[in-house]
Amino acid sequence: MEMKDLLMELSLRAKAKIEEAEGPDKLNEARIAFLGKKGELTSILKGMKNVKPEDRPEVGQLVNDTREKIEKWLDESRTAFEAKIREEKLKSEVIDVTLPARKARFGHRHPNSIALDEVERIFIGMGYEVVEGPEVEYADYNFTKLNIPEDHPARDEQDTFFITDEILLRSQTSPVQARKMEEGVLPIRMIAPGRVFRSDEVDATHSPSFHQIEGLVIDRNITFADLKGTLEEFAKELFGPETKTKFRPHHFPFTEPSAEVDVSCFKCGGKGCRFCKGSGWIEILGCGTVHPNVLRMCGIDPEEYTGFAFGVGLERIALLKYEIDDMRLLYENDIRFLKQF
Ligand code: DAH
């Protein structure tokens, strides 16, 4: 075959190879096969010596043209591949700005936390400070300094989790009173929220671990009237301005006199309903005037200072405020329940 025909045939095959290449790798293979050092064009060039000298310039030109042609096709094809890759990348990164945004998921506050915040807000507003005490406590603070005698039923192992004879899980937040009084900085106006423990079976109104908020005021000339005024104000703030309060005589070892406080049912206004079990009243806390023995044991002279104290169950407040009828709901952390707050 003549050199010209050879080159023509070669360029046709090269064109076909380039056109059918599926990607940059195949293109590269074609380049090596046709233009490489051991490629077909090189081996054709080796046949130049058989070409007549007068024909050599023409054939030489033809070889160069063929090389350029093939290079041009390779380049065009490569550019096309690159464009395609770029386009696909853009497509895959497309953002639909008209798509509705995914809703951010917010956590919810636990009813206990909401209720505690509310109680703290009210007392901080009256000038109280919020203090804390340990959950693992000495029997001395949990009982003795609170005037709870050795043979008091509250000391029974059936009610209290003892760690040793002297150390226990506090069964009430009242020991924080004793700790605060012992610091000896007077006057005192404090609330002490915290976790308490009792060996109770779990049911709709009991749990082995729950929360109380202790209150204590110590100053000169504090009377039961101050206690009444304070707790009446507290009840109105917490349950609404229409709320009435009733003080029923009661007994606590650390207060004398002592009382339990009922509020008029905020659901029926006192007429009697399912919520207040028909009585029109709901019990919310225990309170009283601090017993002189407690003051004395905590280093305060009862002739000079007097005070009042109260203890509120936090869960009780949360259950009442949000009309929850089973305390277990507060501990199970069921998202479907918690989501409602
Ligand atoms: N600590 C008491 C209890 O767990 C509640 C209580 C009643 C606290 C009267 C007080 C108080 O400070 O004065 O039942």
Side-chain angles (χ1 to χ4, degrees):
M1 224 196 290
E2 263 211 53
M3 201 67 161
K4 258 193 208 171
D5 297 329
L6 270 178
L7 286 168
M8 179 56 79
E9 193 268 344
L10 176 80
S11 70
L12 283 178
R13 270 194 301 113
K15 187 158 197 223
K17 252 283 170 311
I18 290 166
E19 275 171 359
E20 76 196 22
E22 292 147 3
D25 291 349
K26 292 279 173 214
L27 274 188
N28 218 26
E29 277 174 26
R31 176 188 302 277
I32 291 164
F34 292 104
L35 307 181
K37 266 192 201 141
K38 292 178 184 158
E40 294 199 37
L41 199 64
T42 319
S43 57
I44 288 176
L45 266 177
K46 283 179 188 148
M48 276 296 262
K49 56 182 182 296
N50 303 326
V51 175
K52 282 184 261 162
E54 61 269 33
D55 290 344
R56 276 186 195 162
E58 197 194 339
V59 174
Q61 185 62 46
L62 212 56
V63 169
N64 281 342
D65 288 353
T66 306
R67 174 181 292 282
E68 271 170 30
K69 246 192 325 195
I70 296 175
E71 267 170 358
K72 196 176 124 232
W73 293 330
L74 283 167
D75 280 352
E76 281 170 1
S77 192
R78 159 144 296 127
T79 316
F81 277 129
E82 281 169 2
K84 206 169 138 207
I85 288 167
R86 229 178 296 126
E87 199 181 318
E88 272 164 14
K89 187 165 185 289
L90 276 179
K91 243 188 236 157
S92 74
E93 289 174 354
V94 149
I95 295 170
D96 181 355
V97 291
T98 66
L99 218 61
R102 235 175 256 150
K103 242 176 119 183
R105 294 233 237 147
F106 289 105
H108 293 260
R109 306 205 61 212
H110 193 280
N112 272 356
S113 308
I114 308 174
L116 177 58
D117 267 7
E118 181 70 5
V119 173
E120 286 186 352
R121 185 189 63 76
I122 295 168
F123 281 106
I124 288 170
M126 295 195 242
Y128 285 56
E129 63 172 319
V130 178
V131 304
E132 285 186 0
E135 291 173 3
V136 178
E137 185 56 285
Y138 291 107
D140 211 29
Y141 285 110
N142 198 77
F143 296 128
T144 314
K145 288 192 164 119
L146 295 172
N147 201 34
I148 300 174
E150 289 288 343
D151 55 358
H152 194 279
R155 293 215 184 198
D156 198 313
E157 277 178 51
Q158 280 188 342
D159 297 312
T160 305
F161 290 112
F162 281 90
I163 294 168
T164 68
D165 282 350
E166 306 293 318
I167 298 170
L168 43 74
L169 296 182
R170 67 178 175 192
S171 62
Q172 49 184 356
T173 43
S174 304
V176 188
Q177 287 186 24
R179 287 178 172 274
K180 187 71 183 168
M181 284 188 260
E182 269 192 356
E183 283 176 15
V185 185
L186 299 170
I188 295 168
R189 233 181 267 116
M190 64 144 224
I191 54 168
R195 190 186 286 273
V196 300
F197 307 86
R198 286 185 201 174
S199 59
D200 281 330
E201 294 287 339
V202 173
D203 67 23
T205 54
H206 291 88
S207 161
S209 156
F210 56 102
H211 300 79
Q212 289 187 333
I213 304 158
E214 194 71 18
L216 176 71
V217 171
I218 305 281
D219 203 348
R220 291 190 171 90
N221 305 317
I222 297 289
T223 68
F224 200 89
D226 296 309
L227 169 64
K228 275 193 83 176
T230 303
L231 293 181
E232 274 167 12
E233 187 56 31
F234 168 62
K236 284 195 166 78
E237 284 265 350
L238 194 61
F239 295 115
E242 308 301 319
T243 311
K244 293 195 202 64
T245 357
K246 182 164 80 175
F247 286 67
R248 273 184 294 104
H250 200 78
H251 173 263
F252 296 105
F254 29 88
T255 43
E256 181 59 36
S258 305
E260 273 187 340
V261 175
D262 298 344
V263 290
S264 55
C265 178
F266 45 89
K267 194 84 193 203
C268 64
K271 284 192 219 61
C273 67
R274 194 182 61 87
F275 207 65
C276 55
K277 300 193 183 81
S279 76
W281 296 95
I282 298 171
E283 183 202 318
I284 61 158
L285 57 82
C287 64
T289 310
V290 180
H291 199 293
N293 285 351
V294 174
L295 291 173
R296 225 173 277 124
M297 277 186 280
C298 296
I300 294 173
D301 180 1
E303 297 300 326
E304 200 182 343
Y305 286 95
T306 50
F308 64 77
F310 54 89
V312 194
L314 178 61
E315 278 78 359
R316 185 147 179 80
I317 301 290
L319 296 180
L320 288 173
K321 254 188 110 62
Y322 303 109
E323 299 180 21
I324 303 162
D325 58 9
D326 193 324
M327 194 165 162
R328 284 168 286 201
L329 288 164
L330 293 177
Y331 304 117
E332 282 164 358
N333 286 333
D334 186 328
I335 293 287
R336 292 166 301 180
F337 168 76
L338 294 175
K339 253 193 342 210
Q340 301 171 63
F341 300 93

